[in-house]
């Protein structure tokens, strides 16, 4: 794929018009935490008909999964077509991400975790009953979802160092532990939660199977903290979860009883990491584009010694390097879209390399935009100040830069 198709450009134009009309006027309220982002997200979903498309997709998936489950009970083959991407492929997921991130990256994080991680995990791994019970409301954004894997002592070592436990108890489990840095945690209606099986088998904690559960707000023993104060992404509420003897039935174990025979929590998490890292690169592209546009406009308008500062070679160097970064990140995103169109999903190492470069580029470009604009750039009204704070988390969440390095290097050394 050499560039954006006419279809992609039309979608970008439509989403940008929505963002300018519906998001930009609310940025200050979103940024100050006075307005949760969910109303804006629902309006976006409904404006573009994404809720109806999701509803139809879930209906088809439920029908297929019920048939597959009936076939499995009768000794027939497995379901076909489960977990396939929505119509339009990866491009129709990443294009809105780019456009929203030009103005308010936090909305993307809140939306992506609910639709991509929480809903996506249930649609991919849940039984027909679980998809019907939780997947539809999440996929249509009728309800807000959270995806809970990170813990206070196991961020980069999320799976190995996990301490939240699921202890078998009768015909269900008892969950104990805590999660932190959970996007949508304070407001989530439905929570996809990962926990280590603690069945007294003597298996070392790091090697125990990881199970996935679906929880609902208000369950006994489940506490959701108020939003945490953060450096950036103020429009994306982040919180903590506390589990004290939360009792769940087998119906809340994602995949049902079959998941005990073949626990797939680790594989599920890794699949999500790959998709999440590609999404972060698209977010980075949106930030870079907006910061470059603001910087170019400022360089044309701001005068120094009776001439526009854009005529100064040092300023030109800054702008040129921003454009190099934009081109590089755009090419990484286009490469991912081409791979998806060819039916070749990115490997974890490829997605990690993509995120590593794009995250660093977004931070560098946004800080250079602040520097180029001087005192004006340091003001909130410049918008590059907000984007610089927002961009920093790209190097932290979905795996830190240091973790991306290990994934890329390991793939090289093992190849």
């Amino acid at each position: 794929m050499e560039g954006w198709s006419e279809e992609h450009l039309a979608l970008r134009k439509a989403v940008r018009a929505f963002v300018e009309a519906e998001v930009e006027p609310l940025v200050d309220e979103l940024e100050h935490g006075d307005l949760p982002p969910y109303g804006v997200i629902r309006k976006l979903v409904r404006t573009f008909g994404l809720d109806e498309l999701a509803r139809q997709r879930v209906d088809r998936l439920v029908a297929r999964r019920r048939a597959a489950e009936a076939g499995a009970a009768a000794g027939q083959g497995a379901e076909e077509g489960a977990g396939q991407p929505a119509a339009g492929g990866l491009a129709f997921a990443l294009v809105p991400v780019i456009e929203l991130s030009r103005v308010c990256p936090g909305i993307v994080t809140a939306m992506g975790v609910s639709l991509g991680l929480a809903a996506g995990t249930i649609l991919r791994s849940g039984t027909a009953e679980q998809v019907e019970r939780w997947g539809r409301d999440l996929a249509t954004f009728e309800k807000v979802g959270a995806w809970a894997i990170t813990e206070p002592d196991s961020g980069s070592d999320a799976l190995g160092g996990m301490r939240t436990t699921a202890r078998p108890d009768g015909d269900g489990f008892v969950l104990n532990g805590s999660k932190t840095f959970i996007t949508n945690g304070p407001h989530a209606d439905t929570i996809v939660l990962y926990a280590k099986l603690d069945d007294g088998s003597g298996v070392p904690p790091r090697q125990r199977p990881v199970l996935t559960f679906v929880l609902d707000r208000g369950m006994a023993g489940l506490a959701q903290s108020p939003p945490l104060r953060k450096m950036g992404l103020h429009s994306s509420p982040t919180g903590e979860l506390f589990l004290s003897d939360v009792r769940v039935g087998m119906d809340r174990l994602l995949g049902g009883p079959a998941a005990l025979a073949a626990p797939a929590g680790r594989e599920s998490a890794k699949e999500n990491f790959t998709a999440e890292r590609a999404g972060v690169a698209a977010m980075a592209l949106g930030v870079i584009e907006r910061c470059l546009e603001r910087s170019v406009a400022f360089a044309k308008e701001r005068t120094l010694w009776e001439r526009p500062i854009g005529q100064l070679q040092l300023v030109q160097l800054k702008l040129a390097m921003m454009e190099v970064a934009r081109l590089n990140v755009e090419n990484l995103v286009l490469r991912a879209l081409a791979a998806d169109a060819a039916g070749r999903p990115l490997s974890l190492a490829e997605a990690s390399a993509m995120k590593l470069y794009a995250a660093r580029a977004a931070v560098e470009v946004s800080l250079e935009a602040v520097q180029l604009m001087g005192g004006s750039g340091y003001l909130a009204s410049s918008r590059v100040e907000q984007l610089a704070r927002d961009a920093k988390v790209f190097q932290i969440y979905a795996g830190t830069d240091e973790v991306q390095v290990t994934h890329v290097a390991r793939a090289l050394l093992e190849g």
Side-chain angles (χ1 to χ4, degrees):
M1 181 179 292
E2 296 180 358
W4 301 104
S5 69
E6 290 299 321
E7 197 173 23
H8 298 155
L9 292 174
L11 178 59
R12 290 197 70 169
K13 182 178 180 181
V15 176
R16 186 171 299 187
F18 176 89
V19 171
E20 290 174 350
E22 304 293 343
V23 181
E24 285 203 64
L26 300 175
V27 167
D28 285 334
E29 291 179 71
L30 291 163
E31 177 68 10
H32 296 153
D34 299 329
L35 179 68
Y38 308 114
V40 176
I41 297 171
R42 288 192 177 99
K43 191 164 190 177
L44 171 69
V45 167
R46 291 165 184 166
T47 296
F48 290 93
L50 302 179
D51 54 341
E52 185 55 35
L53 288 174
R55 193 172 289 111
Q56 294 172 11
R57 181 191 177 205
V58 171
D59 288 343
R60 292 193 298 269
L61 179 58
V62 168
R64 289 200 308 267
R65 199 147 294 175
R66 282 179 175 155
E69 291 169 0
Q76 299 175 9
E79 167 194 6
E80 295 182 1
Q84 292 187 357
L90 186 61
F92 284 80
L94 294 190
V95 165
V97 166
I98 296 167
E99 292 300 323
L100 284 164
S101 296
R102 289 166 50 88
V103 173
C104 193
I107 284 184
V108 175
T109 302
M111 180 172 67
V113 166
S114 189
L115 294 177
L117 297 183
T121 300
I122 293 173
L123 297 185
R124 185 170 57 249
S125 304
T127 65
E129 189 276 334
Q130 290 168 336
V131 172
E132 182 81 47
R133 182 175 174 184
W134 292 295
R136 178 178 285 104
D137 284 346
L138 288 177
T140 57
F141 216 83
E142 293 296 322
K143 291 187 177 180
V144 176
W147 190 75
I149 188 169
T150 303
E151 298 182 5
D153 295 323
S154 62
S156 298
D157 185 25
L159 295 171
M162 185 179 296
R163 295 185 180 181
T164 297
T165 59
R167 176 174 55 83
D169 182 64
D171 58 354
F173 300 85
V174 176
L175 308 180
N176 281 285
S178 64
K179 301 290 183 178
T180 193
F181 308 136
I182 305 304
T183 298
N184 298 332
H187 303 285
D189 302 299
T190 304
I191 300 165
V192 175
L193 181 128
Y194 291 78
K196 285 276 186 75
L197 178 63
D198 183 14
D199 59 0
S201 63
V203 176
R206 295 190 64 83
Q207 300 173 20
R208 291 174 184 169
V210 176
L211 303 177
T212 312
F213 296 89
V214 185
L215 309 181
D216 291 316
R217 167 182 286 276
M219 290 181 65
L222 171 65
Q224 299 170 240
S225 79
L228 301 171
R229 297 186 64 183
K230 310 189 298 289
M231 175 181 176
L233 285 192
H234 293 168
S235 54
S236 173
T238 305
E240 298 175 291
L241 304 176
F242 303 96
L243 300 100
S244 178
D245 291 334
V246 177
R247 296 185 177 274
V248 296
M250 194 65 70
D251 60 319
R252 292 183 178 273
L253 174 63
L254 198 62
L260 281 177
R266 292 177 185 270
E267 291 70 26
S268 168
K270 289 177 181 178
E271 288 178 10
N272 282 331
F273 290 153
T274 299
E276 191 179 16
R277 289 168 188 177
V280 171
M283 294 178 72
L285 178 58
V287 168
I288 291 169
E289 284 187 355
R290 185 59 177 259
C291 287
L292 177 56
E293 289 176 7
R294 302 285 289 184
S295 297
V296 169
F298 188 85
K300 290 179 178 179
E301 297 167 1
R302 178 74 163 89
T303 59
L304 185 64
W305 299 303
E306 300 181 350
R307 59 174 176 162
I309 64 170
Q311 295 181 13
L312 302 175
Q313 282 190 325
L314 184 56
V315 172
Q316 292 175 355
L317 175 62
K318 291 181 183 293
L319 295 176
M321 295 310 296
M322 289 182 191
E323 172 64 359
V324 170
R326 187 196 67 79
L327 287 170
N328 285 339
V329 175
E330 182 178 57
N331 285 336
L332 286 173
V333 172
L334 289 171
R335 179 179 179 275
L337 299 185
D340 178 73
R344 188 191 68 80
L346 293 178
S347 69
L348 181 60
E350 288 175 313
S352 296
M354 185 176 174
K355 177 186 180 294
L356 175 65
Y357 180 85
R360 289 182 174 179
V363 170
E364 291 171 4
V365 168
S366 59
L367 288 175
E368 278 286 55
V370 173
Q371 186 69 25
L372 186 150
M373 296 173 69
S376 297
Y378 200 67
L379 297 177
S381 58
S382 71
R383 295 306 176 199
V384 298
E385 174 269 345
Q386 170 213 326
L387 293 176
R389 288 185 290 102
D390 287 352
K392 181 58 187 174
V393 81
F394 298 165
Q395 293 185 286
I396 298 172
Y397 72 7
T400 63
D401 278 6
E402 292 76 12
V403 168
Q404 310 311 314
V405 168
T406 64
H407 285 303
V408 175
R410 188 179 299 124
L412 292 172
L413 295 170
E414 293 176 354

